[in-house]
Amino acid sequence: MTARNNSFDEQVVLHELKQFLPALVPGRTFTHRNPLQAFQHLAFHDALRQASGMLGYHTSLSLEEYRSLYNSKRVKPGVLEKVLVEKKGAANTFEWQDKVLMKKFPAQTCAAARIGQLRAHWQKQYKTDPDARVHPRLLRILGNYLDHGIADWKFPVRGQGFLDSMREVESNSFVSAFNTPRARNLLLHTSPSISDLLAVIVGDETLFKQYLFDQQFAHRGWSGLVATLESGGKNLPNGSHITLRELIVFELLMEIDVLDDRLGEHWEPLASRLAELPDDLFAPVPMDEKSEVLAIWQEAVEWSYYEGILAGLFHNPENSPGKTGGQSSEVILTNAPDSLCIVGRPPVFRNLPAGHRAFLNGYEFSLDPEGEVLEKILETVVPSLGAANLEYYFSRTSQAGADVGHALTDQIIGLFGMTGSARGDLRTGLPTELTQDLEPMRLLCVVEQFPETVMQVIRRLNASRSWLVNEWVHLVTVDPVSRELRILKKGKMVTYRRLPAVKSLEDAAH
Amino acid sequence: MFWNDFHFDGLTLAYLTTGFAMTLLAVWNGRRTLRGQKQWPRFVCTALLFCTGYGLTIFSGELKTLVLGWEIMGIASFLLIIVHRDFTSGSSSGGISAKAFFIYRLGDVGLLLAMWASHHLWRENATLISCLLLATASMQSSQLPFASWLPQALENSTTASAILLATLTVQMGVFLLLRSYPFWEHLLSVRVLVALLGLAGAAMATAFARVQSSVKRRIAYVSMAHTGLIFIEVAAGFKNLALIHIAANAFLGAYRLLAPPLLAGMPVQEGGISDKKTWEDRLPKKLKYTLYMLYTKEWGLYSRLSKYLRS
């Protein structure tokens, strides 16, 4: 994935592209997929950095937002200090505290992201922007084709694939979707492969993959919808179907059409005029100070919240459960749906501070010495809850960059999606109303079992292993005998040192 | 004297009532969505400016006052469309709103010419003046041959309030026709021209609306189709019917916009409602596909207009 590959394999690239594209289901039901699924092989904070550097995603709140959370005491100073000590060592804490709280970083813009850099050369070298003329036409045709019930007169061809439908219309219509003959003939008389068309447009095979990513991420909502429809295997209401490949082929044809129209019949492919190669889209994004600061803030937000819960759950568990819980819940007003999951015996549940929603799963550690039951529980619970949780997480952070909030009138397209932007792409993620007052936080999974047993279980896990080991979900184990807490960090169980519980409760009282 | 510049009659009253209700709706909706955001003061000021322009126009007793109100209204509705644009951060596209603005200004040229002509050629060339007025009216109402700005403006305006007020300005084209009605009442050629423009516009907009899969564009085209019908009504002399139609059209548009959109949990049934056959489906294949493609491309109106207005 890191090195530029010389040969272009259509199937492989399409498969990879589908991993990266956002999952979008018609009618805006939940998709239950990690929005950063393609980055899940990386540790959480590395993945955030990679996704924002590569695709321009907003994967964290802005520094100002974090700092205002700190000023409003949602992030506790003690927790921040603890995170700093853990990440940077006691010696550097002071220096980093200054960076975290005070330092001004140059405003990082989306333009820094690598996606779109290659295709930006159309503007630079040829003084033309194919998207400006392809998108309105392409998206209108696609919208009409996918329509679930807005238009009175539906797409006239039914029960066929997208390219076949377009071919049928083209061959029988006196008005063409294209303006020039070459693209039309390619559609009607050949069945071009993606690499044939890319050879015309881009020329250099090493750039094909990056070009496709650039192209599809220029309307990632639509592409994501098409990819989801394809993988769902379900037909549209009128019996038609569509694949991502068909969309790409059609879009490439339209690009040829627009370029022919603009530059005449003979133009050199993009690669032949490149002065220097664009940055490799897939190369690792290097760590910088700002991303580290953001990671520290994120951990501080999360642990400020978890501290309260863990204190409530395990502070003197046998003696005064209800009272402790009641008190600490007053501090935590966070509206965080699905950010807590407890696997353990009922006495553990009972101490859950009031006002928190948690997913509770009854589990008796003594009946499961080898951890088979736990394995099954984690295997089902972690990916589903984790995905729902991350969907909220990234829907919230993606708002951070958008200057306009919910005041925008969304535009419903074909009953399958919304557009909010002037560029006409479909919205991804959850509706703003659901996430606007939310603090993004990862799922905390509390398991009552001996840490050694849990480690063995984790080694045996399949689907949920990367979730836990790469810290997309926090895992805390409670030793059933000693009541000691441990956290899974970088693949190891680390003893959890809580802030003095009494102190945090005193904070609560004031 | 100054007061002679103003005029009040049934037409003013009708427009006043509709405009008052729509502005209230727009401000109420704006308050709901924009309150507490940094755009709220900007929105209120712009809405007030719009009201001033609207009021001046409908109370105007002669062309000069009307032009003044018209100008203010044009600027205000342009500002409303872009109320969310943040000009400090980079160069976000101003192209689309520039298009609406361009057509507005073009309309003003028509008005100014009409004003000039009415001073110099009064009675001598009534047809020319009528045609200039008609051109302005059809630009304002997004009728043929300037039909394409409304859907784009609606698509790009960021608040429902801006759209409500934009639909109000669309009705001002008809106002101009009604206000100048006594002037061209006796000219059969002008009346036929108005009716034909309206008929063509209504037919075109209906066809475009039928293939739209995006809700806002569909609203825009439906509104355009109704305005086309209103043109016919005015040409035929049914002034009261036209007024009722205007109010109904405005409120229907508002309802479509403000009623909460039903997207979540919409049942998508296979072979259900959405697979209905329409009369177009019974056309011969060639004709059917041609018409569909033609409507989907919207006669290339946009690409043509965009070509001239880009850069």
Side-chain angles (χ1 to χ4, degrees):
Chain A
M1 220 178 105
T2 48
R4 270 210 172 94
N5 215 337
N6 271 347
S7 59
F8 174 81
D9 184 336
E10 192 179 299
Q11 290 306 318
V12 174
V13 171
L14 280 181
H15 179 76
E16 201 174 316
L17 184 55
K18 281 177 204 162
Q19 301 295 311
F20 277 92
L21 285 172
L24 206 74
V25 181
R28 222 186 218 181
T29 40
F30 289 87
T31 55
H32 290 304
R33 197 182 98 167
N34 177 2
L36 297 190
Q37 194 189 39
F39 300 92
Q40 210 174 306
H41 60 283
L42 298 170
F44 183 71
H45 290 297
D46 296 333
L48 297 195
R49 194 180 65 241
Q50 184 73 23
S52 84
M54 179 175 157
L55 302 175
Y57 284 179
H58 292 277
T59 51
S60 60
L61 297 181
S62 66
L63 261 184
E64 293 72 42
E65 280 178 288
Y66 281 125
R67 283 174 184 163
S68 75
L69 284 177
Y70 180 81
N71 292 335
S72 63
K73 300 270 186 267
R74 303 281 277 264
V75 176
K76 297 174 193 155
V79 174
L80 179 63
E81 207 178 315
K82 199 174 121 185
V83 174
L84 280 168
V85 171
E86 266 170 27
K87 289 220 160 198
K88 293 291 155 201
N92 299 324
T93 307
F94 196 68
E95 183 198 340
W96 275 89
Q97 190 161 25
D98 187 53
K99 282 180 188 168
V100 164
L101 290 176
M102 298 298 178
K103 185 165 177 180
K104 283 203 168 67
F105 291 91
Q108 201 168 6
T109 51
C110 272
R114 291 180 192 148
I115 194 83
Q117 273 189 13
L118 174 58
R119 287 180 86 241
H121 283 279
W122 283 124
Q123 187 65 48
K124 280 184 206 149
Q125 310 290 339
Y126 295 79
K127 301 277 174 276
T128 179
D129 177 13
D131 283 354
R133 293 182 60 200
V134 169
H135 281 187
R137 244 191 304 162
L138 174 75
L139 300 185
R140 189 152 324 143
I141 290 176
L142 192 60
N144 285 5
Y145 183 77
L146 298 178
D147 188 7
H148 280 60
I150 294 272
D152 303 297
W153 183 14
K154 305 279 179 328
F155 201 82
V157 186
R158 284 150 206 217
Q160 294 187 37
F162 181 54
L163 278 183
D164 286 336
S165 305
M166 287 315 294
R167 237 175 240 133
E168 165 86 10
V169 172
E170 271 300 301
S171 55
N172 288 304
S173 163
F174 297 111
V175 179
S176 168
F178 301 101
N179 295 327
T180 56
R182 172 155 71 150
R184 183 165 189 267
N185 289 335
L186 278 172
L187 175 70
L188 286 183
H189 307 303
T190 61
S191 47
S193 73
I194 290 179
S195 55
D196 294 343
L197 296 172
L198 282 172
V200 176
I201 296 174
V202 187
D204 183 354
E205 199 171 338
T206 50
L207 294 172
F208 282 7
K209 183 174 165 192
Q210 184 161 356
Y211 191 86
L212 278 191
F213 269 74
D214 272 15
Q215 186 198 49
Q216 293 306 302
F217 270 84
H219 49 71
R220 59 187 159 97
W222 286 96
S223 305
L225 176 74
V226 169
T228 321
L229 285 172
E230 180 188 352
S231 67
K234 263 173 55 179
N235 286 346
L236 296 166
N238 58 6
S240 305
H241 44 90
I242 187 169
T243 65
L244 185 61
R245 185 183 175 279
E246 289 178 310
L247 170 63
I248 292 174
V249 167
F250 192 71
E251 184 166 4
L252 289 171
L253 285 171
M254 288 215 125
E255 264 177 29
I256 293 180
D257 176 49
V258 163
L259 291 168
D260 273 357
D261 197 25
R262 187 90 184 180
L263 308 169
E265 275 286 320
H266 302 287
W267 39 272
E268 294 166 34
L270 183 66
S272 65
R273 285 226 214 157
L274 282 185
E276 82 276 15
L277 283 179
D279 297 339
D280 185 1
L281 181 63
F282 305 96
V285 176
M287 205 185 280
D288 62 355
E289 214 166 58
K290 186 171 181 192
S291 66
E292 284 190 77
V293 165
L294 288 175
I296 288 169
W297 273 121
Q298 182 55 37
E299 294 273 340
V301 169
E302 288 173 353
W303 286 102
S304 298
Y305 174 66
Y306 301 150
E307 283 279 345
I309 291 186
L310 291 176
L313 280 178
F314 301 109
H315 177 68
N316 266 344
E318 308 303 328
N319 302 333
S320 58
K323 203 175 170 203
T324 320
Q327 273 189 354
S328 57
S329 72
E330 284 164 29
V331 213
I332 307 148
L333 299 164
T334 325
N335 167 26
D338 299 317
S339 56
L340 186 58
C341 158
I342 303 176
V343 181
R345 289 176 299 169
V348 180
F349 303 164
R350 247 176 261 135
N351 299 336
L352 180 68
H356 285 287
R357 268 179 55 198
F359 180 85
L360 308 173
N361 202 325
Y363 172 67
E364 175 62 54
F365 73 93
S366 55
L367 299 178
D368 188 31
E370 296 301 315
E372 279 109 357
V373 180
L374 183 64
E375 188 183 334
K376 270 185 205 135
I377 293 175
L378 288 183
E379 201 71 89
T380 50
V381 160
V382 168
S384 62
L385 285 184
N389 165 269
L390 287 179
E391 230 174 330
Y392 276 96
Y393 187 114
F394 292 115
S395 300
R396 172 65 183 88
T397 57
S398 64
Q399 286 167 29
D403 49 304
V404 286
H406 55 292
L408 278 177
T409 47
D410 288 311
Q411 187 184 0
I412 301 176
I413 305 275
L415 286 187
F416 53 76
M418 297 271 207
T419 65
S421 62
R423 300 287 290 178
D425 193 14
L426 293 180
R427 281 226 175 153
T428 55
L430 300 169
T432 326
E433 307 87 62
L434 283 182
T435 57
Q436 54 189 345
D437 300 322
L438 193 81
E439 286 159 24
M441 58 191 104
R442 278 172 277 173
L443 181 72
L444 173 68
C445 194
V446 182
V447 175
E448 190 186 24
Q449 178 58 286
F450 297 104
E452 300 76 30
T453 321
V454 176
M455 275 316 281
Q456 283 168 12
V457 170
I458 289 174
R459 273 184 220 113
R460 293 203 300 265
L461 288 173
N462 294 318
S464 48
R465 194 162 166 230
S466 65
W467 285 92
L468 296 171
V469 175
N470 291 333
E471 295 173 34
W472 293 79
V473 166
H474 289 294
L475 181 76
V476 168
T477 63
V478 192
D479 190 309
V481 179
S482 68
R483 312 304 296 172
E484 194 191 8
L485 301 181
R486 283 174 190 249
I487 323 170
L488 183 68
K489 279 216 166 137
K490 297 192 173 137
K492 293 197 186 78
M493 286 294 178
V494 187
T495 314
Y496 170 75
R497 283 183 302 277
R498 80 173 70 126
L499 291 177
V502 186
K503 197 183 151 215
S504 72
L505 283 178
E506 268 174 5
D507 283 351
H510 295 303
Chain B
M1 277 312 292
F2 180 70
W3 289 109
N4 292 346
D5 294 344
F6 292 99
H7 181 75
F8 185 87
D9 60 5
L11 177 62
T12 313
L13 185 65
Y15 265 84
L16 186 64
T17 327
T18 316
F20 188 64
M22 294 299 282
T23 317
L24 274 187
L25 260 179
V27 173
W28 168 74
N29 179 64
R31 193 183 120 107
R32 210 180 47 167
T33 52
L34 284 173
R35 192 106 196 244
Q37 298 197 19
K38 62 177 191 289
Q39 288 93 357
W40 173 239
R42 208 197 291 180
F43 172 76
V44 173
C45 293
T46 325
L48 280 176
L49 186 67
F50 180 85
C51 292
T52 315
Y54 188 83
L56 266 178
T57 313
I58 59 172
F59 280 107
S60 64
E62 49 140 28
L63 264 178
K64 269 180 275 182
T65 329
L66 190 130
V67 170
L68 180 65
W70 199 272
E71 289 293 324
I72 296 177
M73 213 167 51
I75 293 170
S77 46
F78 172 69
L79 288 176
L80 273 172
I81 290 175
I82 58 168
V83 80
H84 265 292
R85 288 274 152 83
D86 193 357
F87 292 102
T88 49
S89 70
S91 57
S92 55
S93 64
I96 306 294
S97 30
K99 203 172 297 176
F101 195 61
F102 175 78
I103 296 209
Y104 264 111
R105 299 280 70 81
L106 211 66
D108 296 338
V109 173
L111 256 189
L112 287 171
L113 277 178
M115 198 166 82
W116 172 79
S118 69
H119 275 288
H120 291 264
L121 313 168
W122 194 257
R123 301 283 170 219
E124 282 157 49
N125 205 336
T127 321
L128 175 71
I129 298 170
S130 312
C131 285
L132 283 171
L133 288 175
L134 175 60
T136 308
S138 80
M139 277 183 221
Q140 186 74 13
S141 296
S142 189
Q143 291 296 304
L144 282 174
F146 314 99
S148 70
W149 70 266
L150 184 65
Q152 298 214 335
L154 288 209
E155 205 171 26
N156 287 281
S157 55
T158 42
T159 55
S161 310
I163 298 180
L164 288 181
L165 295 180
T167 47
L168 260 189
T169 64
V170 168
Q171 309 303 343
M172 293 314 282
V174 185
F175 176 82
L176 188 65
L177 283 186
L178 285 171
R179 183 50 91 213
S180 59
Y181 185 73
F183 186 71
W184 49 269
E185 198 173 8
H186 313 292
L187 300 166
L188 186 66
S189 57
V190 175
R191 287 179 74 157
V192 170
L193 187 62
V194 171
L196 280 181
L197 270 187
L199 184 67
M204 182 199 75
T206 314
F208 290 175
R210 288 186 65 80
V211 298
Q212 284 303 322
S213 58
S214 105
V215 168
K216 263 199 220 165
R217 296 180 70 87
R218 190 160 177 269
I219 291 178
Y221 278 122
V222 168
S223 166
M224 262 167 70
H226 278 289
T227 316
L229 290 181
I230 295 170
F231 267 42
I232 300 177
E233 288 157 15
V234 173
F238 304 135
K239 284 164 83 175
N240 288 335
L241 180 66
L243 285 177
I244 294 169
H245 199 160
I246 286 165
N249 182 24
F251 287 116
L252 185 68
Y255 171 74
R256 284 222 179 96
L257 265 178
L258 297 181
L262 292 166
L263 184 60
M266 177 72 77
V268 181
Q269 301 162 344
E270 304 244 343
I273 329 157
S274 49
D275 201 21
K276 265 192 313 209
K277 290 253 195 294
T278 51
W279 63 267
E280 287 103 336
D281 288 317
R282 285 186 211 105
L283 294 172
K285 196 156 84 171
K286 287 231 171 196
L287 185 62
K288 179 168 77 172
Y289 292 167
T290 306
L291 280 181
Y292 192 83
M293 233 29 231
L294 199 63
Y295 292 162
T296 307
K297 290 179 83 176
E298 294 170 353
W299 292 3
L301 278 176
Y302 292 95
S303 41
R304 218 158 290 154
L305 193 70
S306 314
K307 213 183 276 178
Y308 300 130
L309 292 180
R310 183 149 294 137
S311 79

